[in-house]
Amino acid sequence: MRLRALLETEALGLRLLGGEEELDRTVRGVMTTDLRDPSRYLTGGELVLTGLAWRRNSADSEPFVRILASAGVAGLAAGEAELGDIPDDLVSACRRNRLPLFAVNEDVAFATITEYVVRQVSGERAGDLAAVVDRHRRLMTSGPAGGGPDVVLDLLTTDLDLRAWVLSPTGRQIAGAGEPLAPGICAALAGEHLAAVRTGRRGPHRISIQGIAYSLFPIRGAGRGPGGPGGRDVRESVLSDWLLAVEADASDWPAERLDLLQGVTQLIAVERDRRDAARTVRRRLAQEVLELVQTGAPPAEIAARLRVAAPVLLPGLGTAPHWQVVVARVDWEGGDIPGGPVAQSLLEEILVDPSVSGPEPSDRIAVAHAGDEAIALVPLPAAPGEAGEERGPESALHADELLAAVREPLQAGLADDGRLTLGVSAAVQSAEGLRGALEEARHARRVAAARPGRVCAAGHHELASHVLLLPFVPDDVRRAFTARLLDPLRDYDRRHRAELIPTLEAFLDCDGSWTRCATRLHLHVNTLRYRVGRIEQLTARDLSRLEDKLDFFLALRMS
């Protein structure tokens, strides 16, 4: 389609601000962005929609427009909702770079323009898709208040008798029609989707769970995913893309029906892009606080920024008595994939309670990224207490619990060449403690990184114990130490089924108490004494000596 056709469509409410001589340009797609440099997501021929959040002063317009013009976009449409009239510096920059510029009336949602362009560029779709898209447009033209992705999923159910759900890469349900899926099924669907993407299989992907067939369609915004601009590596987006799970076997669907679902994923991608734009403020707050902390700014200055952040992250409470810091890192073999943005998007999802559905439960989470690290600033409301009483946090984050519900799908997405490591600080109450909390979380993440496995986490409590030291013992030393102490016991257990290893673990766990250990193992004390004697005989160690007890304890932990 031509740019001129957009201008002639009254329902879009576009007003031409410059570039009349370029209106015969062909529009091949549409992209919404507020990035200062969106070049990596552009292939040419797009109508670019922007809310102008990238513009901080008049000097920003020329570089932004020059990037768009170099990428060969068809035109730029700027929304009036944020700044009112379109800035003169943007109009002038577009004129100098011969880039057509449109103003988008604040009453017109970007979703309306996106849906119109998608329909026109894609050509005539099947009748059922046209009905769904048309009804969806009427319901969503007012923006998020129109219902978001739940609306189009409801229409799939009522018009086409298809049950469908939108899931995050960790398996959390973001939207759905009808009864929600069980968490285990969501995790399995997300894991299958991520595994299929990593192996290069084209969607939709088919999976059967408990005798029910599901077809999985990727949901990608502009520039995301495989086949994007410049042949982007799939690892840059695999851990952040949503997916559409449909309760049906799409393997024998006609092309028209597949085209229908692809159109639906594009409509849902508009909601995803809107959600990402809404996170801009929280990300910026986190970035500002992080920069102050890392540069050693005075606590009073950091405290002032926290006072600004608290009402945004904890509406109605005004202040956050406690804060926790979470540091995450995604590493890919080869080291040529930027890990910071991937970890940022992933950490925003991990910190959401997996039992909470909907696209916006992460309003209390601010995540920045520095280099290959993502750093989350998480406010913790105070627990109820008496007036004037010093109260602790209502609920603190725990490293293992954060990853428990998302480990399965993430391992599928990381495959055999990626790792996610995560560290959690203790809760701190003031700006003075925030620098220490950041270092604590970073140290905990390093402990997690020293452990085996694709998805690992460590908490602040592990930094004050022997567990901090064990991961840094060289592998060959660990193997030799544990083999020398435990291999004789394992060999004996294999031959005689004597259960010497479990007996040793229980004996140490009971601090060498014969009575408590015998009770735990349901043994007579004399039987326990016989087993401990056999352990000492086989290893030439004395379990009444503290040094030998400690050696056995460490060997068991490292094995």
Side-chain angles (χ1 to χ4, degrees):
M1 64 176 298
R2 307 284 182 182
L3 279 176
R4 190 180 305 279
L6 293 173
L7 192 62
E8 294 170 352
T9 305
E10 294 184 4
L12 301 182
L14 296 178
R15 189 171 77 258
L16 183 66
L17 300 182
E20 184 174 0
E21 66 281 2
E22 305 290 337
L23 289 180
D24 287 326
R25 291 186 180 186
T26 300
V27 179
R28 297 188 178 89
V30 63
M31 173 192 176
T32 301
T33 185
D34 275 308
L35 296 174
R36 297 168 69 86
D37 180 4
S39 57
R40 64 191 300 183
Y41 303 131
L42 299 172
T43 58
E46 296 93 348
L47 173 68
V48 175
L49 307 175
T50 180
L52 300 177
W54 50 266
R55 182 185 179 277
R56 297 177 182 175
N57 55 59
S58 58
D60 292 335
S61 292
E62 179 67 28
F64 180 78
V65 172
R66 192 179 299 124
I67 288 171
L68 300 188
S70 299
V73 305
L76 174 64
E80 296 180 319
E82 182 73 19
L83 301 178
D85 293 337
I86 305 304
D88 291 339
D89 50 89
L90 180 60
V91 176
S92 299
C94 288
R95 184 179 298 115
R96 285 191 296 272
N97 289 275
R98 298 179 62 83
L99 182 66
L101 175 63
F102 302 89
V104 181
N105 189 283
E106 61 180 353
D107 295 329
V108 178
F110 282 178
T112 302
I113 300 173
T114 299
E115 179 264 320
Y116 179 83
V117 172
V118 168
R119 289 181 61 192
Q120 295 300 314
V121 170
S122 300
E124 291 298 326
R125 301 188 185 276
D128 51 1
L129 174 61
V132 170
V133 170
D134 186 59
R135 290 180 61 187
H136 181 262
R137 179 189 61 78
R138 294 198 301 270
L139 289 167
M140 289 193 68
T141 48
S142 60
D150 287 294
V151 173
V152 69
L153 298 187
D154 286 338
L155 292 175
L156 283 177
T157 300
T158 57
D159 288 17
L160 305 175
D161 196 27
L162 289 175
R163 297 180 67 208
W165 302 265
V166 177
L167 305 178
S168 77
T170 63
R172 184 176 62 86
Q173 182 171 313
I174 293 167
E179 290 295 321
L181 290 172
I185 294 178
C186 289
L189 292 174
E192 174 67 20
H193 169 74
L194 292 174
V197 172
R198 287 305 314 275
T199 56
R201 285 190 280 148
R202 296 180 59 85
H205 315 301
R206 183 188 181 280
I207 180 176
S208 179
I209 300 179
Q210 299 176 2
I212 299 175
Y214 298 89
S215 295
L216 311 178
F217 295 79
I219 298 173
R220 301 187 181 104
R224 287 196 184 98
R232 294 180 63 211
D233 194 305
V234 66
R235 293 175 293 180
E236 293 187 52
S237 61
V238 67
L239 297 177
S240 59
D241 283 339
W242 289 356
L243 68 133
L244 176 67
V246 180
E247 190 180 298
D249 184 352
S251 59
D252 58 352
W253 280 5
E256 293 82 1
R257 180 59 62 92
L258 290 173
D259 193 34
L260 182 157
L261 267 296
Q262 296 295 347
V264 168
T265 63
Q266 292 181 31
L267 291 173
I268 297 173
V270 174
E271 172 67 18
R272 170 64 193 269
D273 292 339
R274 185 198 67 79
R275 193 285 308 264
D276 285 347
R279 285 184 169 177
T280 301
V281 173
R282 298 194 296 278
R283 287 177 170 178
R284 188 176 299 166
L285 284 172
Q287 199 73 42
E288 291 173 355
V289 174
L290 175 62
E291 290 174 0
L292 291 174
V293 171
Q294 294 192 130
T295 56
E301 187 176 354
I302 299 174
R305 295 309 303 162
L306 290 177
R307 285 194 293 272
V308 172
V312 176
L313 303 177
L314 289 174
L317 296 184
T319 60
H322 295 82
W323 300 85
Q324 265 183 296
V325 176
V326 182
V327 174
R329 179 171 175 137
V330 174
D331 293 291
W332 302 102
E333 290 183 7
D336 56 344
I337 306 298
V342 178
Q344 181 182 43
S345 177
L346 189 56
L347 188 53
E348 286 172 335
E349 181 60 37
I350 289 173
L351 290 173
V352 178
D353 184 342
S355 65
V356 177
S357 63
E360 299 292 354
S362 57
D363 287 340
R364 288 174 45 188
I365 300 165
V367 183
H369 75 81
D372 286 332
E373 283 184 338
I375 301 166
L377 187 65
V378 183
L380 303 173
E386 299 296 331
E389 178 187 349
E390 184 73 17
R391 295 172 293 175
E394 187 175 50
S395 58
L397 301 175
H398 297 280
D400 290 336
E401 294 176 4
L402 285 176
L403 295 181
V406 300
R407 191 179 303 274
E408 177 185 345
L410 290 184
Q411 286 176 336
L414 293 164
D416 57 358
D417 60 349
R419 288 198 76 204
L420 167 67
T421 52
L422 182 145
V424 180
S425 78
V428 296
Q429 191 173 3
S430 63
E432 288 87 345
L434 209 54
R435 184 180 181 86
L438 175 58
E439 291 305 312
E440 193 172 57
R442 281 176 166 161
H443 282 307
R445 192 207 63 79
R446 293 188 190 105
V447 171
R451 293 172 174 167
R454 292 291 171 188
V455 180
C456 299
H460 60 91
H461 62 282
E462 299 183 54
L463 302 183
S465 76
H466 63 280
V467 180
L468 174 62
L469 303 176
L470 295 185
F472 300 101
V473 178
D475 287 344
D476 55 345
V477 176
R478 292 160 66 103
R479 285 192 294 267
F481 182 76
T482 58
R484 185 169 63 251
L485 280 175
L486 301 183
D487 279 2
L489 306 182
R490 293 185 179 123
D491 291 341
Y492 192 86
D493 280 347
R494 277 195 295 269
R495 293 196 308 269
H496 302 285
R497 298 182 181 179
E499 298 187 353
L500 296 185
I501 292 289
T503 300
L504 175 62
E505 291 175 332
F507 186 73
L508 295 175
D509 194 43
C510 292
D511 298 323
S513 169
W514 298 99
T515 303
R516 282 193 289 126
C517 184
T519 301
R520 174 182 294 190
L521 296 175
H522 306 289
L523 297 175
H524 192 279
V525 172
N526 289 340
T527 305
L528 176 61
R529 290 185 185 277
Y530 173 82
R531 289 188 183 180
V532 170
R534 179 63 68 183
I535 292 171
E536 293 175 332
Q537 180 185 19
L538 291 170
T539 60
R541 296 297 184 111
D542 183 354
L543 277 169
S544 66
R545 298 179 66 249
L546 175 62
E547 294 86 347
D548 288 341
K549 285 181 181 177
L550 181 58
D551 283 349
F552 277 122
F553 177 79
L554 294 175
L556 289 168
R557 283 300 184 98
M558 289 192 291
S559 63

